[in-house]
Amino acid sequence: MKTWLNGDLLQSPEAPSISALDHGIIVGDGVFETIKIEDGQPFALTRHLDRLVRSAEGLGIGKPDVSAIREGVAATMESQDLPFGRIRVTVTSGPGPLGSPRGSAGLTQVVITEPCERPPSVSAIATVPWPRNERGALAGLKTTSYAENALMVEHALARGASEAVMPNTAGMLCEGTGSNIFYVVGEQLITPTLQAGPLAGVTRALVLEWCAAELDVVERDAPIDVLQTADEVILVGTTRDVQAISRVDDREVAAPGPITRKAQEIWARESVKDVDP
């Protein structure tokens, strides 16, 4: 694991380096991206950094220095053996007062790169009763305010699942804590619309784009209970790629089903191409 902070490569990722007054710590005032490393190369880096900028500007903390962050990515990947791994880019509003108002010291930018294990191709999910607010101030932004997500994941882990999936305030299927969800009804591959409140996932967008020519793929909203009757269920995300779901709460689901297998085949074929630099 290597860490870069505001232009400097740290000797150790555990070294004291960020002010205790940083608003990323005080109030969770920041944004982030996780980028997959495949065969020593970051996957869809430009798309992730574009979304990082959109999230930061949407949060009102200003525009990150993308050129500097790219240097941080290169510096933290150098001399590491990374057949599979992840890059975490975090940008906070910087040091500030103990309350909610922000300071004026400038952004804090952090890049951490590490090797990691590849997630399994099949997993289980648990639905949770807590909704995502599709009309909230943070809707559609990938922010560091993740405490409710951490609580939801612990709820899922306690039930033998790897991810929690939530409704929005209207009871419609929304997203996982760190993933987007698809499901199959008949021959149709369906995912919630962005109006339902999920994050505009990079993997989600690529699945929609790549599968459209070979599968009947639609964006459509439905109550979260649709997962209790869907023929197949899929999670997609940065390191999960296209992951088959074999259990939703206490309900067993065929995994991978035929549509899931086809989506996985398309992903495996298309993702080896140069998505973007």
Side-chain angles (χ1 to χ4, degrees):
M1 179 186 290
K2 289 187 177 182
T3 302
W4 174 96
L5 169 65
N6 287 344
D8 295 322
L9 191 64
L10 304 185
Q11 292 299 311
S12 168
E14 298 180 356
S17 51
I18 296 178
S19 168
L21 295 177
D22 195 284
H23 255 215
I25 297 171
I26 297 298
V27 295
D29 190 25
V31 298
F32 78 99
E33 286 290 325
T34 300
I35 300 110
K36 179 179 70 168
I37 300 171
E38 191 77 63
D39 295 328
Q41 297 296 322
F43 179 76
L45 178 59
T46 296
R47 293 178 185 236
H48 280 284
L49 294 181
D50 286 348
R51 187 174 63 180
L52 181 79
V53 171
R54 291 196 301 272
S55 292
E57 292 181 335
L59 193 59
I61 64 174
K63 185 176 181 179
D65 186 339
V66 173
S67 295
I69 290 171
R70 283 185 178 273
E71 292 175 3
V73 168
T76 56
M77 292 183 65
E78 187 175 1
S79 301
Q80 286 206 75
D81 183 20
L82 296 165
F84 187 79
R86 61 190 169 196
I87 304 162
R88 162 78 182 225
V89 180
T90 306
V91 179
T92 80
S93 60
L98 292 181
S100 295
R102 294 167 175 152
S104 57
L107 302 180
T108 298
Q109 302 189 142
V110 184
V111 179
I112 306 174
T113 297
E114 66 170 1
C116 64
E117 293 186 6
R118 193 180 298 273
S121 60
V122 179
S123 191
I125 62 174
T127 59
V128 297
W130 307 292
R132 179 74 81 217
N133 185 356
E134 73 279 13
R135 295 174 291 136
L138 302 183
L141 307 180
K142 195 170 180 67
T143 76
T144 58
S145 301
Y146 244 52
E148 69 173 7
N149 285 2
L151 175 62
M152 291 181 191
V153 167
E154 289 301 314
H155 177 94
L157 292 174
R159 288 155 179 78
S162 70
E163 175 66 302
V165 173
M166 70 202 79
N168 64 16
T169 61
M172 308 300 277
L173 179 62
C174 186
E175 63 180 344
T177 66
S179 61
N180 289 110
I181 189 157
F182 285 72
Y183 59 94
V184 176
V185 175
E187 298 294 316
Q188 200 165 60
L189 180 60
I190 307 165
T191 194
T193 69
L194 295 181
Q195 288 68 40
L199 187 72
V202 170
T203 307
R204 174 188 183 275
L206 291 173
V207 168
L208 288 171
E209 177 183 337
W210 291 343
C211 289
E214 300 178 52
L215 293 171
D216 183 7
V217 188
V218 299
E219 297 175 77
R220 184 169 67 228
D221 294 325
I224 192 171
D225 289 349
V226 71
L227 296 180
Q228 302 302 328
T229 57
D231 299 317
E232 302 172 43
V233 179
I234 304 168
L235 285 184
V236 306
T238 294
T239 56
R240 292 178 188 267
D241 293 338
V242 179
Q243 186 182 57
I245 298 303
S246 62
R247 181 168 55 83
V248 177
D249 297 325
D250 296 325
R251 177 184 178 242
E252 300 295 327
V253 184
I259 302 299
T260 303
R261 283 197 298 271
K262 183 62 177 178
Q264 289 174 332
E265 290 169 5
I266 294 169
W267 179 268
R269 183 185 72 224
E270 296 295 327
S271 63
V272 298
K273 301 175 182 178
D274 187 14
V275 176
D276 54 32

